[in-house]
Amino acid sequence: MDNLQVDINKLINVLKYDEANPLLFNTGLFMLLFVAFIGLYRLLQRFRTVKMIFVILFSLYFYYKSSSAYCFILLGVCISDYVLGMLMGKTSARFGRRLVVLLNVVINVGMLVYFKYFNLLIDTITQFTSTRFDALDVILPAGISFFTFRSISYIVDIYRGHIEPCRNFLDYTFYLTFFPPLLAGPVVRAKDMLPQVAANPVATRAMVGEGLFLIIAGLVKKVIVADFISGNFVDRIFDNPSLYSGFENLMGIYGFTIQLYCDFSGYSDMAIGLALLLGFRFKDNFRSPFKAQSPTEFWHRWHISLSTWLRDYVYIPMGGSRCSKPRAYFNQFATMVVGGLWHGASWMYVIWGALHGFLLVIHKSLKSLFPKLPDHKKGSWWRMTANIFLTFNLVALTFVFFRMRSLEQAQQMGHQIFHDFHLTVAPQFIAGYFTIILACMLGYFMHMMPGSWTQKAKELYMAVPFWVQALILAIVILIVIQVRQSDIVPFIYLQY
């Protein structure tokens, strides 16, 4: 009896909120819970309302495991959006409709300012005064930047006439709380998902195969590449850049670049894959961004759901390109600064966003000055290769400011690269970090290989019998268990 009580207490502790152990896609607990979840999900398929309530409750529990009682904030946003959407639908006056949009923006941006930026704003103000400020102990709700953006886009799209207000509260709550994209995207829009929710979709055999393939790809990217090179190499370089040569610092930059890509695109792959298993299809969030031949093309391929959101709800409302060139350049620059600030309460993110804004403006200016220059779809192979090489290195260097926590550390890394670059350490580096190099090469290979290869591999996986698909998934999970670190490494974008 005592042993049973101990086991029950252990189970309760595992299922309770634990800040150090959120419920992530790459954890054993999630895999076990999801297997049970999808079994019940299939049984409830014919009972739409019961199924939707079941998914909402599971999603809220999933969010509770990451943010505790802040799941009630998510529910509050659901209620607020639903009421404001219905109010928008009944309001024909332009002033009244704009007031609804303003109220929604104030609610969502107000939450972001309090939870993400309040300490940064007060700290910045106090630096110019003699007052003392003790930072508030504010816990950042996981995924708040993602679900607030989805909330804003819903109300704005109703205002613009792109969608009708959702009249079923369960439908909207299902959309906003749906767990696959809840914590770290993609930023799924209501106009893309609500029609699917209303249709009560059933996952086809092809969707299940594609979903499992994406989950496998995401696990490989996240655990075998990103986590492995992070804990064993990248973190060491970025935490103490002055202890390493310029060559090692440069390799650290390239390592972090592929780590960030594999970490974030791995999450997106798994989120899209899990949604497919449940019958829902999301748009791609990454399209081989390091194949981009310009900064502009890079943002057409990197975190697509965010870049298109910024375009539609920040850049275009500011005037977009429908104005003078200087104003259009400013709009683009300011949009990227907003995108940088969206990532977190640090001026380093603002600098990162400003650098990308600067690169976009420079590229647009060059295209304007030299209109006969071939675009990224034309030109000789050597020109395309040179464009990819230059764009990749510019992007990789900007990620220094994304990863570093202070300008001083970034300056240390720059100093090492430009004043202490010893290529002679390369043989020692290769010998000492051989497995790290292999992991990085795997990451870059998966990214840079032709898209037709990926498509062919996906089609082959989808064509084999289900038991073979399950066997391959089990083998990958076993490999992941062997490779992963003792502590589960959270996804990088969970902090945003």
Side-chain angles (χ1 to χ4, degrees):
M1 192 69 178
D2 290 340
N3 290 336
L4 178 61
Q5 186 63 43
V6 170
D7 291 338
I8 292 174
N9 290 336
K10 286 182 178 179
L11 178 62
I12 292 174
N13 288 332
V14 168
L15 296 176
K16 284 171 58 178
Y17 166 71
D18 182 356
E19 184 180 0
N21 296 290
L23 187 61
L24 305 178
F25 297 157
N26 57 326
T27 61
L29 178 61
F30 176 81
M31 293 178 188
L32 291 174
L33 289 176
F34 184 74
V35 169
F37 165 82
I38 199 166
L40 284 172
Y41 180 86
R42 291 300 180 92
L43 289 175
L44 296 173
Q45 184 64 48
R46 295 174 56 188
F47 309 98
R48 182 177 184 272
T49 300
V50 177
K51 184 194 72 173
M52 292 185 67
I53 294 173
F54 171 64
V55 175
I56 291 170
L57 290 175
F58 182 84
S59 298
L60 289 173
Y61 173 72
F62 178 79
Y63 192 71
Y64 159 80
K65 282 288 289 180
S66 299
S67 297
S68 186
Y70 285 143
C71 61
F72 291 107
I73 290 180
L74 178 60
L75 267 179
V77 174
C78 292
I79 296 171
S80 170
D81 288 353
Y82 178 75
V83 172
L84 290 177
M86 294 297 290
L87 185 60
M88 178 79 79
K90 296 179 180 179
T91 304
S92 57
R94 189 176 183 183
F95 174 78
R97 292 169 67 83
R98 285 188 170 184
L99 195 60
V100 172
V101 173
L102 178 62
L103 183 57
N104 175 262
V105 171
V106 167
I107 291 172
N108 285 286
V109 174
M111 287 193 301
L112 285 177
V113 169
Y114 174 72
F115 286 109
K116 290 187 72 170
Y117 308 116
F118 182 79
N119 285 334
L120 175 67
L121 290 172
I122 299 300
D123 181 61
T124 302
I125 293 172
T126 55
Q127 287 182 8
F128 296 97
T129 65
S130 58
T131 57
R132 183 174 177 273
F133 169 70
D134 293 324
L136 297 180
D137 185 17
V138 178
I139 298 176
L140 178 65
I144 187 171
S145 296
F146 289 93
F147 69 73
T148 51
F149 270 25
R150 292 161 69 188
S151 167
I152 291 172
S153 67
Y154 169 67
I155 298 298
V156 172
D157 282 350
I158 295 175
Y159 173 79
R160 291 174 174 174
H162 295 166
I163 59 174
E164 291 293 322
C166 181
R167 303 187 183 283
N168 187 319
F169 178 68
L170 280 181
D171 282 10
Y172 188 79
T173 304
F174 185 103
Y175 153 70
L176 199 65
T177 63
F178 191 48
F179 69 91
L182 182 58
L183 299 184
V187 185
V188 182
R189 300 194 196 180
K191 65 179 181 181
D192 296 323
M193 187 173 171
L194 282 176
Q196 296 186 64
V197 175
N200 192 27
V202 177
T204 63
R205 172 74 174 79
M207 292 176 75
V208 171
E210 185 180 356
L212 291 176
F213 179 85
L214 289 173
I215 291 169
I216 289 172
L219 283 172
V220 171
K221 288 179 181 179
K222 168 60 179 170
V223 182
I224 298 179
V225 178
D227 291 354
F228 185 72
I229 64 178
S230 169
N232 296 292
F233 174 59
V234 171
D235 291 348
R236 301 176 188 177
I237 299 292
F238 276 84
D239 290 344
N240 296 286
S242 59
L243 298 181
Y244 298 88
S245 69
F247 175 80
E248 291 167 307
N249 274 270
L250 184 60
M251 293 303 102
I253 293 173
Y254 292 149
F256 176 69
T257 300
I258 195 62
Q259 176 206 338
L260 180 62
Y261 167 75
C262 286
D263 191 286
F264 191 22
S265 69
Y267 184 96
S268 293
D269 286 346
M270 284 186 270
I272 295 170
L274 289 168
L276 282 168
L277 296 183
L278 303 178
F280 296 89
R281 184 173 292 278
F282 300 156
K283 295 179 180 179
D284 291 339
N285 204 27
F286 291 87
R287 295 196 190 111
S288 303
F290 302 142
K291 292 181 182 178
Q293 297 184 50
S294 69
T296 301
E297 189 190 356
F298 173 78
W299 281 102
H300 291 164
R301 293 169 171 264
W302 176 275
H303 202 348
I304 301 167
S305 62
L306 173 64
S307 61
T308 53
W309 194 98
L310 291 172
R311 178 198 66 197
D312 294 343
Y313 303 103
V314 179
Y315 177 67
I316 290 177
M318 290 176 66
S321 58
R322 306 182 311 275
C323 49
S324 65
K325 283 187 178 179
R327 176 60 188 273
Y329 292 157
F330 171 79
N331 292 343
Q332 196 159 47
F333 178 83
T335 299
M336 294 310 301
V337 171
V338 171
L341 187 60
W342 172 86
H343 284 81
S346 168
W347 292 114
M348 297 299 288
Y349 291 126
V350 175
I351 293 171
W352 174 76
L355 286 172
H356 273 279
F358 181 71
L359 290 175
L360 290 175
V361 170
I362 291 296
H363 177 245
K364 295 291 187 184
S365 300
L366 290 174
K367 290 290 290 183
S368 178
L369 292 172
F370 305 101
K372 293 186 179 181
L373 283 176
D375 59 27
H376 64 272
K377 297 180 181 179
K378 303 176 182 177
S380 59
W381 69 268
W382 63 266
R383 185 190 295 274
M384 294 171 62
T385 302
N387 288 342
I388 292 173
F389 178 80
L390 177 60
T391 302
F392 169 75
N393 279 278
L394 287 173
V395 168
L397 289 174
T398 65
F399 280 140
V400 171
F401 298 91
F402 187 94
R403 173 61 175 78
M404 288 298 190
R405 292 296 172 257
S406 69
L407 273 176
E408 182 183 359
Q409 283 186 312
Q411 290 169 350
Q412 289 175 5
M413 180 168 279
H415 179 272
Q416 294 300 101
I417 292 174
F418 291 105
H419 296 95
D420 191 26
F421 193 90
H422 298 299
L423 194 57
T424 54
V425 305
Q428 294 173 289
F429 176 83
I430 294 173
Y433 290 103
F434 186 69
T435 54
I436 297 296
I437 294 171
L438 289 179
C440 288
M441 289 176 64
L442 174 63
Y444 279 113
F445 173 77
M446 288 192 299
H447 174 277
M448 298 302 293
M449 68 182 183
S452 59
W453 292 14
T454 305
Q455 183 62 28
K456 185 65 175 177
K458 181 165 66 174
E459 291 173 356
L460 287 173
Y461 181 84
M462 293 168 62
V464 300
F466 180 75
W467 69 268
V468 178
Q469 294 177 350
L471 178 62
I472 294 172
L473 176 62
I475 292 172
V476 170
I477 291 174
L478 287 175
I479 295 172
V480 162
I481 292 172
Q482 295 300 316
V483 172
R484 75 177 186 181
Q485 302 179 38
S486 57
D487 295 328
I488 297 296
V489 181
F491 292 88
I492 293 175
Y493 265 69
L494 285 183
Q495 61 186 301
Y496 306 133

